[in-house]
Amino acid sequence: MFAKPRPKKSILPPPTKKRKTTSSVQEITFDDGARQEYLTGFHKRKLERVKHAQEQAAKQARQEKLDARKKAWSIFHLRDERRREVEEHVQTVNRILRESGAVVDPVETEPNDAEEDEWGGFPDKPDLDIIDHEEEYVDEDRYTTVTVETVSVSREGLSKPQVDGDEADDVEAAHPSGLEKEPQKKGRWPAKAKKKKFRYESKIERQLTNSGQRAKSPRQK
């Protein structure tokens, strides 16, 4: 009477058929020597990597140096070639101007050695005005005398220049010596009054002072 229900279809795709895999390896053997070398060779392999990196860096630096040298040589040759071209161009232009008569070759003149004076350097004793005088300075409680003299410098050291008779008279007339100067009185400032030190009174002293003031004051009737 009743029809059979339809079978429900699965949403998932049909499962794939698994193939049976057969291993071709029948036996596995371990090399104890290779295992020992691998476990104890970390430092050795690290040193090999460092050495290889250093070799590569040295090779790269050498190649960069060669490239820089080639570039420098090419620049030098290029500059030399341009300089030669410029010189040839200048010579060609000068030749054309000479042929056209626009430029006349300059006449070479020999230098006159008699007119040229050779410089002999600085004199050992230059002509300087002789200075020899004293100055006095007063500043509050201090009194200072400053002496100014002419000194010549040579290889032997410092020395005082000697003055001839006529020059000595001129120097003395310009700067008279200290004996001919009028005596100057040293400036003295008036003595300052010493300040009285301020001191706070103690409690007992204040009481005595107050009691004395009360005794002196007239009594109120």
Side-chain angles (χ1 to χ4, degrees):
M1 292 178 64
F2 298 101
K4 291 182 179 180
R6 295 179 180 178
K8 294 182 179 180
K9 293 182 179 181
S10 177
I11 302 173
L12 299 175
T16 57
K17 295 181 179 180
K18 295 182 180 180
R19 295 180 181 179
K20 293 182 179 181
T21 57
T22 57
S23 178
S24 60
V25 179
Q26 297 179 0
E27 184 180 0
I28 298 175
T29 57
F30 293 95
D31 189 356
D32 294 336
R35 179 175 178 274
Q36 184 70 18
E37 184 180 358
Y38 174 77
L39 295 175
T40 59
F42 288 102
H43 183 65
K44 182 180 178 181
R45 289 191 294 273
K46 182 179 179 181
L47 293 178
E48 290 178 355
R49 289 195 299 270
V50 171
K51 185 178 179 181
H52 180 69
Q54 290 177 353
E55 291 176 355
Q56 292 294 330
K59 186 177 179 180
Q60 186 177 359
R62 184 171 178 275
Q63 186 65 31
E64 290 178 356
K65 189 180 293 184
L66 292 175
D67 295 342
R69 189 176 297 175
K70 288 180 181 179
K71 187 176 180 180
W73 273 108
S74 62
I75 293 173
F76 174 75
H77 288 303
L78 182 62
R79 288 180 179 177
D80 193 12
E81 185 177 356
R82 288 182 179 177
R83 183 175 57 81
R84 285 198 300 269
E85 291 178 357
V86 170
E87 289 178 356
E88 291 176 358
H89 178 69
V90 171
Q91 291 176 2
T92 305
V93 172
N94 291 335
R95 181 171 51 79
I96 294 172
L97 292 175
R98 290 194 195 95
E99 291 176 356
S100 62
V103 177
V104 180
D105 293 337
V107 179
E108 296 181 357
T109 57
E110 296 181 356
N112 190 0
D113 298 336
E115 295 179 358
E116 295 181 358
D117 297 333
E118 294 183 358
W119 184 65
F122 293 103
D124 295 336
K125 294 183 179 180
D127 298 333
L128 299 175
D129 296 336
I130 305 301
I131 301 173
D132 187 4
H133 66 280
E134 295 182 356
E135 293 288 343
E136 296 180 355
Y137 299 94
V138 179
D139 183 11
E140 293 184 357
D141 298 336
R142 299 177 182 177
Y143 176 77
T144 306
T145 303
V146 180
T147 304
V148 182
E149 295 180 353
T150 301
V151 178
S152 60
V153 182
S154 61
R155 294 182 179 179
E156 288 77 11
L158 301 177
S159 61
K160 188 174 181 180
Q162 297 179 359
V163 186
D164 298 337
D166 299 337
E167 294 181 358
D169 297 338
D170 297 339
V171 171
E172 289 181 359
H175 303 286
S177 60
L179 298 175
E180 296 178 359
K181 289 183 179 179
E182 295 181 358
Q184 297 180 359
K185 295 182 180 180
K186 297 181 180 179
R188 293 184 180 179
W189 294 89
K192 297 181 180 179
K194 294 184 179 180
K195 294 182 180 180
K196 189 176 181 181
K197 293 184 179 180
F198 179 78
R199 186 176 63 84
Y200 288 99
E201 294 180 349
S202 62
K203 187 176 181 181
I204 298 173
E205 290 176 350
R206 287 199 302 273
Q207 290 177 358
L208 293 174
T209 304
N210 294 334
S211 62
Q213 289 178 357
R214 291 195 201 95
K216 290 180 181 179
S217 61
R219 295 180 179 178
Q220 296 180 0
K221 294 182 180 181

